Amino acid sequence: MLPTHARPYQDINNAFRWEIPEHYNIGIDVCDKWAVRDPGRLALVHVGADGASRNYSFGEIRESSDRLGNLLLSTGVAPGDRIGILLPQAPETAIAHVAAYKIGAIAIPLFALFGAEALEYRLRDSGTRAIVTNAAGAAKLAGIRDRLPALKTVFTIDGAFDGTQDLHQALKHASSDLTPVLTKADDPAVIIYTSGTTGQPKGALHAHRVLPGHLPGVEMSHNLFPLDGDRIWTPADWAWIGGLLDVLLPAWHHGVTVVAHRFEKFTGEAAFQLLQDHGVRNTFLPPTALKMMRTVADPEQRWRYQLRSVASGGESLGTELLDWGRKTFGLTINEFYGQTECNMTVSSCAAIMDCRPGAIGRAAPGHRLAIVDADGKTLPAGSHGNIAVQRPDPVMFLQYWNNPQATAGKFIGDWLITGDTGCMDEDGYIRFVGRDDDVITSAGYRIGPGEIEDNILQHPAVKMVAVVGSPDAQRTEIVVAVIVLNDGYVGDDSLKREIQEHVKVRLAAHEYPREIFFVDALPMTTTGKMIRRELRAKVDEWRKAAAT
């Protein structure tokens, strides 16, 4: 754990040492530890669709997870078996995770809005044996279950359906006396599937040590978390690493209360209201959520929220969003960086370091990062190359499930190659440029989309924007902007010229978008990341159609 009193980053980083025991179990750490010390300690505030909330103590979470653990064992689940959790943010979601870890099973978080095809792929690939879900999930499973030979049991949280068991009724008859499995820190705990921006999703298999591996980055991104009175919430679904291992499990490791709520439809107004109503002090807001909240007028005058930390990651925020955050929240949004295979390795932290515009932060204590070339050679400060993380590292995945070739391809020597490009200055600040395939090569320039997007976002007409490269015979590629407009603006040629001039004047002439398309929505993954591959394909189609 990092110190909770502010000291210079370099002092904290130099003094840090990993202390991961040989035997370690996530479920015991995040639940049973607190249930023994203080069973009435508040673990979860679940806010229902109607706005009503219910509190859950660590003692209640322990009893329910022990019952569920015994229930799963009674169906034949054994250590190492995979347990699917197909639910939104809900008490049963957290309880199922804790239960799976305590019996030595491997949790498979699944996004509640996945379609049948996405579910079938993940469930077949992982060989999932049992699932905890709801009526909506059961309906999707009904059409694919005959193609899932490993799936033996489906529990539903809202009653029994054809082929499912009523979870809550079954828990009443299950024993609350469970002896957790004494797992090693390196034993498998969870498979989180990549968002699949290229090719089929890959299952990143993580060990129990992944949670302590996350802690330095989480603590940095929330200004030396936790402090007395901290209470955390995120709109990020717990099916993704950002919701599960950046918020829920680290908070419970520290005994911090988590607020849970599933928005039927996320809006900036609803987010501000929740921050106020439930006394949230710490929040992880993905860039897409921040951009939606940014469209709300005068939130600091309409709501009374008192945040201590705001963290964001997934895409570089840029100066515009950071400035808006300071005005709106009265603090600097801390950016962090990672990926499903090796998360929370970089963070900024306003409490202990300066914020440098364009930089996503420095290596979180305990992690070693470098910028390397295609051969894995470390490049000097200021050089552009691959962002890489050195192994061994407790937050690093064990392997891709059933995919040794892809696992081997993720490394060059002892460097895990993230697939992202960037540069590092002499003080260790890392500047994110983009995915390898996001960098635009135009007239000899290598152009990252992030800075252009940030610049265009400053225009009052622009609600959201994505910038991609598109093939060009003369320049190799040209810069193309795809824009969602704010209400009241018309996407005509006059506005296109205005935005182009906006970039030319404020950024650089060679970086202005030579073509602009206005759309109603941008293609996103379920984690809220831009699917640039899909966007590039659409741009190419639009340009070909315009040329004919």
Side-chain angles (χ1 to χ4, degrees), residues 268-290:
E269 289 84 354
F272 283 115
Q273 190 70 45
L274 186 141
L275 293 174
Q276 170 190 280
D277 291 350
H278 295 281
V280 174
R281 294 251 293 162
N282 322 88
T283 183
F284 159 41
L285 295 171
T288 302
L290 286 169

Side-chain angles (χ1 to χ4, degrees), residues 172-225:
K172 291 178 182 179
H173 304 290
S175 171
S176 61
D177 184 12
L178 176 71
T179 301
V181 173
L182 187 63
T183 54
K184 291 187 175 181
D186 285 327
D187 285 345
V190 60
I191 298 173
I192 302 179
Y193 280 82
T194 62
S195 53
T197 53
T198 57
Q200 285 285 14
K202 296 184 286 291
L205 176 66
H206 282 282
H208 284 265
R209 59 173 162 75
V210 70
L211 176 54
H214 269 79
L215 296 179
V218 171
E219 292 162 8
M220 273 186 69
S221 65
H222 288 290
N223 290 332
L224 305 181
F225 181 83

Side-chain angles (χ1 to χ4, degrees), residues 381-443:
S383 301
H384 179 280
N386 300 297
I387 300 174
V389 186
Q390 190 176 46
R391 61 179 172 186
D393 188 308
V395 85
M396 195 174 289
F397 78 139
L398 293 167
Q399 63 187 57
Y400 289 123
W401 186 260
N402 290 335
N403 200 336
Q405 184 176 356
T407 303
K410 190 69 175 170
F411 294 88
I412 300 177
D414 282 336
W415 290 109
L416 179 147
I417 307 301
T418 63
D420 295 323
T421 58
C423 59
M424 182 187 296
D425 68 19
E426 293 180 351
D427 296 321
Y429 283 86
I430 295 174
R431 187 178 302 272
F432 176 87
V433 174
R435 295 290 300 175
D436 276 345
D437 56 355
D438 289 345
V439 177
I440 303 164
T441 303
S442 183

Side-chain angles (χ1 to χ4, degrees), residues 9 13 18 206 210 213-218 220-221 241 246 335-348 353 360-370 387-397 416 418 420 424 428 430:
Y9 162 83
N13 192 46
W18 290 112
H206 282 282
V210 70
H214 269 79
L215 296 179
V218 171
M220 273 186 69
S221 65
I241 201 164
D246 296 357
E335 296 187 67
F336 63 82
Y337 168 82
Q339 55 180 193
T340 304
E341 299 87 345
C342 192
N343 195 34
M344 268 292 181
T345 53
V346 176
S347 182
S348 58
M353 67 174 74
I360 55 176
R362 297 154 108 174
H367 306 293
R368 186 181 175 212
L369 284 89
I387 300 174
V389 186
Q390 190 176 46
R391 61 179 172 186
D393 188 308
V395 85
M396 195 174 289
F397 78 139
L416 179 147
T418 63
D420 295 323
M424 182 187 296
I430 295 174

